[in-house]
Amino acid sequence: MASVTSILIYPDQGEPGQALESAGVGEEGLDGDRRKGAPVHLVAVADYVEAWPRANVVLDLEPEALSALIGRRLRIGDVELQVTGPAKSCPGVYADVPVPGTLGVGDEVEVGVPDPRA
């Protein structure tokens, strides 16, 4: 379906993001990223611009396809993400991390079954 094109963390507020080839992802988000309202912010490559801080994982799919993943569980690398809803005031979606692990640039996105709570 899609793969990861970029991974970014934002350790310091107001500073540019740091691009990574791979990242550990815990329940609170990507290792080294400063904490925010949602653990992970996913964005479609067409919507990603460096001026928008906070996009952690950029995926090579259309924005509409990304929005269609709300309420679904994804596996990227050995991380499982639960897509919870649209990002606030910027493109993309937010996700929780029910299964921590590691993800990397080039990893395929596997879409699972809908969350029964959605």
Side-chain angles (χ1 to χ4, degrees):
M1 172 187 181
S3 64
V4 175
T5 63
S6 302
I7 301 169
L8 301 111
I9 59 169
Y10 301 86
D12 301 309
Q13 187 168 2
E15 294 295 318
Q18 298 175 10
L20 305 173
E21 285 299 311
S22 65
V25 184
E27 291 179 4
E28 299 295 316
L30 278 70
D31 294 346
D33 197 27
R34 78 177 186 281
R35 299 302 172 232
K36 55 197 177 298
V40 178
H41 180 185
L42 302 159
V43 70
V45 72
D47 283 338
Y48 175 69
V49 233
E50 289 183 27
W52 282 327
R54 307 302 321 141
N56 296 120
V57 180
V58 182
L59 303 175
D60 66 349
L61 74 163
E62 294 299 317
E64 298 79 22
L66 182 62
S67 293
L69 296 175
I70 293 172
R72 305 208 38 119
R73 189 172 278 218
L74 311 178
R75 177 180 286 275
I76 306 173
D78 56 9
V79 176
E80 286 189 23
L81 301 174
Q82 181 64 49
V83 182
T84 57
K88 296 177 177 80
S89 70
C90 58
V93 296
Y94 288 148
D96 289 334
V97 186
V99 179
T102 303
L103 55 79
V105 171
D107 284 352
E108 294 292 319
V109 178
E110 299 175 47
V111 179
V113 296
D115 182 355
R117 302 169 294 169

